[in-house]
Amino acid sequence: MRTPKYIAVLVVLLMGISNVSQDTSQKPSALAPAIPKTWDDQAMAALEVPLADPNGSPKHVSADYYYKIPVRPIYKGYPVFAPGHEPVGYMERLQKEEPDVIWDDRGHAPLLRTESDWIKAGQIVFYAAISYDAIATVSNVRDPAWYAKTGTQIAADGTMPFAQYVVRKKGKIELGTLSCGFCHTRVMPDGTVIRGAQGNFAFDRSLANSLPTDAADAKDPKEYLNQIHAAERSLFGVPWLQPDPQAKLYEMSADELASAHEAIPPQVIARHRTSVFYPVQVPDLIGVKERHYLDRTGLQQQRSIADLMRYAALNQGGDDLASYDGFIPAGFPEFKKLPVPGDRGARGRYSDEQLYALALWVYSLQPPPNPNKFDSLAKRGQKVFESEGCAVCHTPPLYTNNKLTPAEGFSVPADHLEKYDILRISVGTDSNLTLKTRRGTGYYKVPSLKGVWCRGMFGHSGWCATLEDWLDPRRTHENYVPTGFKPYGAKTYAVKGHPFGLSLSDEDRKALIAFLKTL
């Protein structure tokens, strides 16, 4: 039986461990910088904050195993034009292109003579596909109905900037997906593209789009559903917690699963190690160099550029190889045994050089011009910010104190107070993401408010579409209908917690929002 597209999409998320023109004839310079070793056993063991139930904390593979995984080649990418914007004869020209490897470990590399060269090369890695025709396909991105159904945005130049066409074999055009840029590229209302921002690709809605077709095409519906359930378990399962909080996923029909993913709007994502029921707001990478903890749950410490390299390696497949109390997500479908390096589940990784370039590029990102002026209303809002004590957590100039706050129901272990920077105040937001998922540490990190003007879907699961919604006291009411993510099957949902700002007068609230939008 052929593998249904939806199954291939989910399995591909376990396998993965631009339009920038580059000279591929150059070899890395002899003056290349000292590049940190990404997968160092000692560093990896201390990298992540333990999970809320430490029994499930991942035990990562050894450096010896990791470096046996082949380095995936990075191919030249070509722009994807939305319907009605594609140049005449464009696809025909791509059909004639030869495969063009930009960077691998067999002699191909972009120009790498200066720091600027390394940063430019990092953008290539950022948009390098690790999968093809997964989540979305060539036929999808050429179909106007797909854009209408998923809400996928189009840039001012007519491109769909979240993915690229790739030619790995002459005459065959594929859609390269699941790059870093796939989730961290934002199209603004005027069509401006912000690279590295909180992305607004309709990830889960695009994923859900393939389910009905797969269900209709399946020769063996029962086996098809079994494969879906196994794939969902590999992405989200937490079997060391009894009962597994994700167990409902393994009993849902194909239509129910499609509806559950469909409920997750752009700017929010059910990424691996989270949950379809408790997804996470897509983060903004601009300014990430100043963050001490990565992920909404503060899962990983960032003490150096090497840690950001490790984060990228883990989130492009490396953490699926770990053992979570005996559960190995990449050991599909029994989840008990590591795949052989190079086989399904461990087919590719970035080289240390590629990860270093990627991290340099991310660190180099600058915020876009802010159209919001610091006027008299914003000045009043700054005074409200100060008088309300917002700076205790959102401390200038970073507008975060870079600390972790415990979720309700989590008892802070004594040794954590020595190892991690913890503010022992709970803001009372929903604790499911950090207590019932594979990213759940028992904490949430204090987010930075810098650049909040060009972000959306507030709260760690993105329940409130705008700042105005987040600071609206009605969001805590039982009859509230979220403007962002509304949990699957819910007609209403009270967005509890973080009461700060909810008791302000309308005038002070408006002023505070005006100030926040200037940051």
PDB file of all heavy atoms in Angstrom, residues 471-495:
ATOM      1  N   LEU A 471      -5.298  42.342  26.668  1.00  0.00           N
ATOM      2  CA  LEU A 471      -5.527  43.243  27.796  1.00  0.00           C
ATOM      3  C   LEU A 471      -7.006  43.529  28.029  1.00  0.00           C
ATOM      4  O   LEU A 471      -7.349  44.423  28.806  1.00  0.00           O
ATOM      5  CB  LEU A 471      -4.751  44.544  27.579  1.00  0.00           C
ATOM      6  CG  LEU A 471      -3.223  44.399  27.667  1.00  0.00           C
ATOM      7  CD1 LEU A 471      -2.526  45.689  27.260  1.00  0.00           C
ATOM      8  CD2 LEU A 471      -2.785  43.973  29.061  1.00  0.00           C
ATOM      9  N   ASP A 472      -7.861  42.775  27.397  1.00  0.00           N
ATOM     10  CA  ASP A 472      -9.306  42.900  27.584  1.00  0.00           C
ATOM     11  C   ASP A 472      -9.732  41.995  28.740  1.00  0.00           C
ATOM     12  O   ASP A 472      -9.575  40.768  28.663  1.00  0.00           O
ATOM     13  CB  ASP A 472     -10.032  42.498  26.301  1.00  0.00           C
ATOM     14  CG  ASP A 472     -11.538  42.700  26.362  1.00  0.00           C
ATOM     15  OD1 ASP A 472     -12.086  42.861  27.484  1.00  0.00           O
ATOM     16  OD2 ASP A 472     -12.184  42.687  25.296  1.00  0.00           O
ATOM     17  N   PRO A 473     -10.269  42.545  29.828  1.00  0.00           N
ATOM     18  CA  PRO A 473     -10.629  41.700  30.982  1.00  0.00           C
ATOM     19  C   PRO A 473     -11.684  40.649  30.661  1.00  0.00           C
ATOM     20  O   PRO A 473     -11.798  39.648  31.376  1.00  0.00           O
ATOM     21  CB  PRO A 473     -11.143  42.720  32.008  1.00  0.00           C
ATOM     22  CG  PRO A 473     -11.524  43.929  31.222  1.00  0.00           C
ATOM     23  CD  PRO A 473     -10.571  43.976  30.057  1.00  0.00           C
ATOM     24  N   ARG A 474     -12.407  40.827  29.572  1.00  0.00           N
ATOM     25  CA  ARG A 474     -13.446  39.852  29.219  1.00  0.00           C
ATOM     26  C   ARG A 474     -12.852  38.513  28.807  1.00  0.00           C
ATOM     27  O   ARG A 474     -13.570  37.501  28.790  1.00  0.00           O
ATOM     28  CB  ARG A 474     -14.323  40.409  28.092  1.00  0.00           C
ATOM     29  CG  ARG A 474     -15.189  41.602  28.527  1.00  0.00           C
ATOM     30  CD  ARG A 474     -15.918  42.217  27.350  1.00  0.00           C
ATOM     31  NE  ARG A 474     -14.992  42.793  26.383  1.00  0.00           N
ATOM     32  CZ  ARG A 474     -15.390  43.437  25.270  1.00  0.00           C
ATOM     33  NH1 ARG A 474     -16.676  43.573  25.009  1.00  0.00           N
ATOM     34  NH2 ARG A 474     -14.494  43.947  24.439  1.00  0.00           N
ATOM     35  N   ARG A 475     -11.538  38.485  28.511  1.00  0.00           N
ATOM     36  CA  ARG A 475     -10.942  37.212  28.090  1.00  0.00           C
ATOM     37  C   ARG A 475     -10.961  36.162  29.199  1.00  0.00           C
ATOM     38  O   ARG A 475     -10.864  34.973  28.939  1.00  0.00           O
ATOM     39  CB  ARG A 475      -9.518  37.413  27.588  1.00  0.00           C
ATOM     40  CG  ARG A 475      -8.502  37.796  28.651  1.00  0.00           C
ATOM     41  CD  ARG A 475      -7.084  37.671  28.098  1.00  0.00           C
ATOM     42  NE  ARG A 475      -6.057  38.266  28.937  1.00  0.00           N
ATOM     43  CZ  ARG A 475      -5.491  37.695  29.993  1.00  0.00           C
ATOM     44  NH1 ARG A 475      -5.905  36.488  30.384  1.00  0.00           N
ATOM     45  NH2 ARG A 475      -4.538  38.315  30.668  1.00  0.00           N
ATOM     46  N   THR A 476     -11.067  36.600  30.445  1.00  0.00           N
ATOM     47  CA  THR A 476     -11.066  35.655  31.569  1.00  0.00           C
ATOM     48  C   THR A 476     -12.451  35.085  31.857  1.00  0.00           C
ATOM     49  O   THR A 476     -12.586  34.216  32.717  1.00  0.00           O
ATOM     50  CB  THR A 476     -10.534  36.343  32.841  1.00  0.00           C
ATOM     51  OG1 THR A 476     -11.426  37.399  33.220  1.00  0.00           O
ATOM     52  CG2 THR A 476      -9.137  36.910  32.612  1.00  0.00           C
ATOM     53  N   HIS A 477     -13.471  35.553  31.145  1.00  0.00           N
ATOM     54  CA  HIS A 477     -14.838  35.100  31.398  1.00  0.00           C
ATOM     55  C   HIS A 477     -15.093  33.743  30.744  1.00  0.00           C
ATOM     56  O   HIS A 477     -14.541  33.443  29.675  1.00  0.00           O
ATOM     57  CB  HIS A 477     -15.848  36.119  30.876  1.00  0.00           C
ATOM     58  CG  HIS A 477     -15.730  37.465  31.538  1.00  0.00           C
ATOM     59  ND1 HIS A 477     -16.446  38.570  31.115  1.00  0.00           N
ATOM     60  CD2 HIS A 477     -14.970  37.892  32.597  1.00  0.00           C
ATOM     61  CE1 HIS A 477     -16.134  39.601  31.880  1.00  0.00           C
ATOM     62  NE2 HIS A 477     -15.240  39.214  32.787  1.00  0.00           N
ATOM     63  N   GLU A 478     -15.945  32.950  31.349  1.00  0.00           N
ATOM     64  CA  GLU A 478     -16.224  31.603  30.846  1.00  0.00           C
ATOM     65  C   GLU A 478     -16.881  31.618  29.475  1.00  0.00           C
ATOM     66  O   GLU A 478     -16.780  30.642  28.724  1.00  0.00           O
ATOM     67  CB  GLU A 478     -17.105  30.844  31.843  1.00  0.00           C
ATOM     68  CG  GLU A 478     -16.432  30.576  33.183  1.00  0.00           C
ATOM     69  CD  GLU A 478     -15.171  29.734  33.058  1.00  0.00           C
ATOM     70  OE1 GLU A 478     -15.093  28.901  32.131  1.00  0.00           O
ATOM     71  OE2 GLU A 478     -14.247  29.913  33.897  1.00  0.00           O
ATOM     72  N   ASN A 479     -17.566  32.707  29.110  1.00  0.00           N
ATOM     73  CA  ASN A 479     -18.240  32.776  27.812  1.00  0.00           C
ATOM     74  C   ASN A 479     -17.379  33.451  26.745  1.00  0.00           C
ATOM     75  O   ASN A 479     -17.867  33.795  25.664  1.00  0.00           O
ATOM     76  CB  ASN A 479     -19.570  33.520  27.940  1.00  0.00           C
ATOM     77  CG  ASN A 479     -19.401  34.973  28.361  1.00  0.00           C
ATOM     78  OD1 ASN A 479     -18.308  35.402  28.730  1.00  0.00           O
ATOM     79  ND2 ASN A 479     -20.498  35.740  28.314  1.00  0.00           N
ATOM     80  N   TYR A 480     -16.078  33.617  27.026  1.00  0.00           N
ATOM     81  CA  TYR A 480     -15.190  34.287  26.069  1.00  0.00           C
ATOM     82  C   TYR A 480     -14.926  33.392  24.860  1.00  0.00           C
ATOM     83  O   TYR A 480     -14.661  32.188  24.999  1.00  0.00           O
ATOM     84  CB  TYR A 480     -13.865  34.642  26.748  1.00  0.00           C
ATOM     85  CG  TYR A 480     -12.898  35.371  25.851  1.00  0.00           C
ATOM     86  CD1 TYR A 480     -13.141  36.677  25.442  1.00  0.00           C
ATOM     87  CD2 TYR A 480     -11.730  34.756  25.415  1.00  0.00           C
ATOM     88  CE1 TYR A 480     -12.251  37.359  24.617  1.00  0.00           C
ATOM     89  CE2 TYR A 480     -10.820  35.427  24.597  1.00  0.00           C
ATOM     90  CZ  TYR A 480     -11.095  36.732  24.201  1.00  0.00           C
ATOM     91  OH  TYR A 480     -10.211  37.396  23.380  1.00  0.00           O
ATOM     92  N   VAL A 481     -14.984  33.975  23.681  1.00  0.00           N
ATOM     93  CA  VAL A 481     -14.647  33.271  22.447  1.00  0.00           C
ATOM     94  C   VAL A 481     -13.278  33.783  21.989  1.00  0.00           C
ATOM     95  O   VAL A 481     -13.155  34.939  21.568  1.00  0.00           O
ATOM     96  CB  VAL A 481     -15.699  33.520  21.349  1.00  0.00           C
ATOM     97  CG1 VAL A 481     -15.296  32.790  20.064  1.00  0.00           C
ATOM     98  CG2 VAL A 481     -17.079  33.062  21.814  1.00  0.00           C
ATOM     99  N   PRO A 482     -12.234  32.982  22.099  1.00  0.00           N
ATOM    100  CA  PRO A 482     -10.891  33.451  21.750  1.00  0.00           C
ATOM    101  C   PRO A 482     -10.804  33.949  20.314  1.00  0.00           C
ATOM    102  O   PRO A 482     -11.403  33.371  19.389  1.00  0.00           O
ATOM    103  CB  PRO A 482     -10.022  32.202  21.952  1.00  0.00           C
ATOM    104  CG  PRO A 482     -10.765  31.394  22.970  1.00  0.00           C
ATOM    105  CD  PRO A 482     -12.214  31.610  22.640  1.00  0.00           C
ATOM    106  N   THR A 483     -10.042  35.012  20.145  1.00  0.00           N
ATOM    107  CA  THR A 483      -9.827  35.566  18.808  1.00  0.00           C
ATOM    108  C   THR A 483      -8.654  34.907  18.110  1.00  0.00           C
ATOM    109  O   THR A 483      -8.449  35.112  16.910  1.00  0.00           O
ATOM    110  CB  THR A 483      -9.567  37.076  18.920  1.00  0.00           C
ATOM    111  OG1 THR A 483      -8.490  37.296  19.850  1.00  0.00           O
ATOM    112  CG2 THR A 483     -10.813  37.808  19.423  1.00  0.00           C
ATOM    113  N   GLY A 484      -7.858  34.135  18.872  1.00  0.00           N
ATOM    114  CA  GLY A 484      -6.747  33.387  18.304  1.00  0.00           C
ATOM    115  C   GLY A 484      -7.058  31.902  18.336  1.00  0.00           C
ATOM    116  O   GLY A 484      -8.060  31.451  17.782  1.00  0.00           O
ATOM    117  N   PHE A 485      -6.187  31.124  19.006  1.00  0.00           N
ATOM    118  CA  PHE A 485      -6.417  29.686  19.104  1.00  0.00           C
ATOM    119  C   PHE A 485      -7.565  29.386  20.056  1.00  0.00           C
ATOM    120  O   PHE A 485      -7.569  29.819  21.206  1.00  0.00           O
ATOM    121  CB  PHE A 485      -5.149  28.986  19.598  1.00  0.00           C
ATOM    122  CG  PHE A 485      -5.361  27.548  20.000  1.00  0.00           C
ATOM    123  CD1 PHE A 485      -5.741  26.607  19.048  1.00  0.00           C
ATOM    124  CD2 PHE A 485      -5.200  27.147  21.315  1.00  0.00           C
ATOM    125  CE1 PHE A 485      -5.952  25.276  19.416  1.00  0.00           C
ATOM    126  CE2 PHE A 485      -5.398  25.828  21.694  1.00  0.00           C
ATOM    127  CZ  PHE A 485      -5.781  24.887  20.740  1.00  0.00           C
ATOM    128  N   LYS A 486      -8.534  28.643  19.557  1.00  0.00           N
ATOM    129  CA  LYS A 486      -9.631  28.151  20.382  1.00  0.00           C
ATOM    130  C   LYS A 486      -9.522  26.641  20.411  1.00  0.00           C
ATOM    131  O   LYS A 486      -9.562  25.991  19.363  1.00  0.00           O
ATOM    132  CB  LYS A 486     -10.986  28.576  19.792  1.00  0.00           C
ATOM    133  CG  LYS A 486     -12.174  28.146  20.633  1.00  0.00           C
ATOM    134  CD  LYS A 486     -13.482  28.769  20.129  1.00  0.00           C
ATOM    135  CE  LYS A 486     -13.852  28.249  18.743  1.00  0.00           C
ATOM    136  NZ  LYS A 486     -15.161  28.740  18.304  1.00  0.00           N
ATOM    137  N   PRO A 487      -9.317  26.054  21.589  1.00  0.00           N
ATOM    138  CA  PRO A 487      -9.089  24.611  21.671  1.00  0.00           C
ATOM    139  C   PRO A 487     -10.125  23.799  20.903  1.00  0.00           C
ATOM    140  O   PRO A 487     -11.306  24.168  20.849  1.00  0.00           O
ATOM    141  CB  PRO A 487      -9.150  24.341  23.179  1.00  0.00           C
ATOM    142  CG  PRO A 487      -8.716  25.621  23.800  1.00  0.00           C
ATOM    143  CD  PRO A 487      -9.277  26.693  22.919  1.00  0.00           C
ATOM    144  N   TYR A 488      -9.654  22.729  20.316  1.00  0.00           N
ATOM    145  CA  TYR A 488     -10.502  21.856  19.507  1.00  0.00           C
ATOM    146  C   TYR A 488     -11.752  21.441  20.270  1.00  0.00           C
ATOM    147  O   TYR A 488     -11.682  20.976  21.414  1.00  0.00           O
ATOM    148  CB  TYR A 488      -9.714  20.615  19.085  1.00  0.00           C
ATOM    149  CG  TYR A 488     -10.567  19.507  18.504  1.00  0.00           C
ATOM    150  CD1 TYR A 488     -11.187  19.653  17.274  1.00  0.00           C
ATOM    151  CD2 TYR A 488     -10.761  18.321  19.209  1.00  0.00           C
ATOM    152  CE1 TYR A 488     -11.980  18.641  16.741  1.00  0.00           C
ATOM    153  CE2 TYR A 488     -11.548  17.303  18.685  1.00  0.00           C
ATOM    154  CZ  TYR A 488     -12.149  17.476  17.458  1.00  0.00           C
ATOM    155  OH  TYR A 488     -12.936  16.477  16.937  1.00  0.00           O
ATOM    156  N   GLY A 489     -12.897  21.639  19.649  1.00  0.00           N
ATOM    157  CA  GLY A 489     -14.169  21.222  20.217  1.00  0.00           C
ATOM    158  C   GLY A 489     -14.809  22.232  21.157  1.00  0.00           C
ATOM    159  O   GLY A 489     -15.953  22.055  21.565  1.00  0.00           O
ATOM    160  N   ALA A 490     -14.077  23.293  21.496  1.00  0.00           N
ATOM    161  CA  ALA A 490     -14.607  24.284  22.442  1.00  0.00           C
ATOM    162  C   ALA A 490     -15.385  25.371  21.694  1.00  0.00           C
ATOM    163  O   ALA A 490     -14.948  25.841  20.642  1.00  0.00           O
ATOM    164  CB  ALA A 490     -13.479  24.913  23.239  1.00  0.00           C
ATOM    165  N   LYS A 491     -16.502  25.769  22.239  1.00  0.00           N
ATOM    166  CA  LYS A 491     -17.246  26.899  21.693  1.00  0.00           C
ATOM    167  C   LYS A 491     -16.796  28.200  22.358  1.00  0.00           C
ATOM    168  O   LYS A 491     -16.796  29.267  21.731  1.00  0.00           O
ATOM    169  CB  LYS A 491     -18.741  26.686  21.896  1.00  0.00           C
ATOM    170  CG  LYS A 491     -19.302  25.519  21.087  1.00  0.00           C
ATOM    171  CD  LYS A 491     -20.809  25.384  21.278  1.00  0.00           C
ATOM    172  CE  LYS A 491     -21.359  24.229  20.446  1.00  0.00           C
ATOM    173  NZ  LYS A 491     -22.835  24.079  20.618  1.00  0.00           N
ATOM    174  N   THR A 492     -16.455  28.107  23.628  1.00  0.00           N
ATOM    175  CA  THR A 492     -15.901  29.236  24.373  1.00  0.00           C
ATOM    176  C   THR A 492     -14.702  28.743  25.161  1.00  0.00           C
ATOM    177  O   THR A 492     -14.524  27.543  25.357  1.00  0.00           O
ATOM    178  CB  THR A 492     -16.942  29.835  25.345  1.00  0.00           C
ATOM    179  OG1 THR A 492     -17.329  28.821  26.293  1.00  0.00           O
ATOM    180  CG2 THR A 492     -18.178  30.321  24.586  1.00  0.00           C
ATOM    181  N   TYR A 493     -13.879  29.690  25.609  1.00  0.00           N
ATOM    182  CA  TYR A 493     -12.705  29.304  26.388  1.00  0.00           C
ATOM    183  C   TYR A 493     -12.226  30.513  27.176  1.00  0.00           C
ATOM    184  O   TYR A 493     -11.914  31.564  26.595  1.00  0.00           O
ATOM    185  CB  TYR A 493     -11.587  28.808  25.470  1.00  0.00           C
ATOM    186  CG  TYR A 493     -10.337  28.376  26.201  1.00  0.00           C
ATOM    187  CD1 TYR A 493     -10.260  27.136  26.816  1.00  0.00           C
ATOM    188  CD2 TYR A 493      -9.232  29.228  26.280  1.00  0.00           C
ATOM    189  CE1 TYR A 493      -9.117  26.748  27.499  1.00  0.00           C
ATOM    190  CE2 TYR A 493      -8.084  28.847  26.945  1.00  0.00           C
ATOM    191  CZ  TYR A 493      -8.038  27.597  27.564  1.00  0.00           C
ATOM    192  OH  TYR A 493      -6.903  27.213  28.235  1.00  0.00           O
ATOM    193  N   ALA A 494     -12.185  30.408  28.482  1.00  0.00           N
ATOM    194  CA  ALA A 494     -11.699  31.485  29.331  1.00  0.00           C
ATOM    195  C   ALA A 494     -10.177  31.483  29.331  1.00  0.00           C
ATOM    196  O   ALA A 494      -9.553  30.480  29.677  1.00  0.00           O
ATOM    197  CB  ALA A 494     -12.232  31.326  30.751  1.00  0.00           C
ATOM    198  N   VAL A 495      -9.575  32.597  28.939  1.00  0.00           N
ATOM    199  CA  VAL A 495      -8.118  32.730  28.914  1.00  0.00           C
ATOM    200  C   VAL A 495      -7.696  33.302  30.259  1.00  0.00           C
ATOM    201  O   VAL A 495      -7.681  34.510  30.495  1.00  0.00           O
ATOM    202  CB  VAL A 495      -7.656  33.631  27.758  1.00  0.00           C
ATOM    203  CG1 VAL A 495      -6.127  33.731  27.735  1.00  0.00           C
ATOM    204  CG2 VAL A 495      -8.171  33.093  26.426  1.00  0.00           C
TER     205      VAL A 495
END
